[in-house]
Amino acid sequence: MAGHFVRWTSDSGFPVGNLRMPQNVIDAAQGFADRRRGERFLAARALLAQLMLRVYGINSLPPLITHCNGRPAFADNDLPDFSIAYAGNMVGVLLAEEGERAGLDVEIVRAHSRQKQEQLMQGLTSGEIAWINAQQDFMEAVTQIWTLRQSILKLTGEGENGLDSLRLLPGAGRLRSTLYPDIQVVCDAEPTLVWACALSSATQRLHLWEMDSAHQWRALREVEVNKPNIGPCALRLTSLPEERRFHPAI
């Protein structure tokens, strides 16, 4: 089982040719009063359409719905779950496989002031704060914990309402979610960007893709998430074993 994460970064609009999506999606993007929001909306769905083509051979973006919590999904429940995230000029899409759920968050490392970073720490646990204080780069570490949390909350669909249900134990490589007790999350810190992909604990590989500024699709790397060392700045947290044993997944 695998997850697929693709991202696109550009200051220009997404190419309108060969988008592989229904006209109503294109019209919806043009209806945004904020042009930048419309471009990001269109880019996310174009990336999702490309993923569906490459992974499942589906030539056009299937119909979408929006749940009451604002989370988009395919109208057909048999199609895979996905998650969309934005950060600055970057758009990212994470696609799950085989009936599992996905949660994606991306953040610019130094987009927040030191004061804002400290405010973000106020809702963190003592274990999370201890891990942050043990890292060499304070801002990067806070951003990683925040991104990890947001990706999991997007997977569960609870958003900020689920904050109290989640505890991270980064020093031990563990997490606890009372809402969805069968999760693993992979997070990596790049020079300017932190991303986190939350998926089922059964997911064995994470494929990373990128559409570059010339609109060329290329593979970045494949992460074998069960390996003990997946990168110098990468974190992998998994649900505590007792939670997976005694609580059914939602």
Side-chain angles (χ1 to χ4, degrees), residues 28-191:
Q30 295 173 345
F32 280 89
D34 185 334
R35 178 182 175 184
R36 183 165 175 262
R37 286 187 61 195
E39 290 176 346
R40 295 197 312 183
F41 175 93
L42 185 63
R45 282 143 186 84
L47 291 175
L48 178 60
Q50 288 288 337
L51 274 178
M52 293 299 289
L53 173 64
R54 291 172 180 271
V55 178
Y56 291 99
I58 297 176
N59 289 319
S60 181
L61 183 69
L64 301 172
I65 60 172
T66 302
H67 292 301
C68 59
N69 60 7
R71 197 176 191 272
F74 289 118
D76 185 347
N77 290 329
D78 291 331
L79 292 177
D81 189 40
F82 64 88
S83 183
I84 295 170
Y86 308 105
N89 293 326
M90 202 215 78
V91 178
V93 178
L94 175 65
L95 184 71
E97 282 189 0
E98 300 180 25
E100 302 297 342
R101 290 177 64 86
L104 173 68
D105 192 48
V106 292
E107 299 285 344
I108 305 300
V109 174
R110 308 192 189 280
H112 304 300
S113 66
R114 178 63 179 258
Q115 181 179 8
K116 179 62 175 179
Q117 298 269 3
E118 291 174 347
Q119 290 175 357
L120 295 178
M121 290 184 67
Q122 292 178 3
L124 302 184
T125 66
S126 58
E128 293 165 348
I129 294 173
W131 182 85
I132 290 170
N133 289 333
Q135 307 309 304
Q136 293 184 348
D137 190 322
F138 173 84
M139 288 189 176
E140 180 181 276
V142 174
T143 305
Q144 279 191 282
I145 294 297
W146 179 257
T147 307
L148 283 162
R149 280 179 156 268
Q150 293 302 307
S151 68
I152 296 169
L153 294 174
K154 290 176 72 172
L155 181 149
T156 63
E158 294 295 318
E160 299 303 317
N161 294 329
L163 281 173
D164 292 339
S165 68
L166 180 62
R167 293 291 181 271
L168 304 184
L169 305 169
R174 296 294 190 183
L175 66 91
R176 176 183 287 112
S177 170
T178 58
L179 296 173
Y180 201 95
D182 186 19
I183 300 173
Q184 66 175 329
V185 57
V186 176
C187 176
D188 202 4
E190 301 178 3

Side-chain angles (χ1 to χ4, degrees), residues 13-21 26 42 46 50 211 215:
F14 201 87
V16 297
N18 197 25
L19 289 177
R20 301 182 183 277
M21 66 180 66
I26 299 174
L42 185 63
Q50 288 288 337
M211 179 175 278
H215 309 134

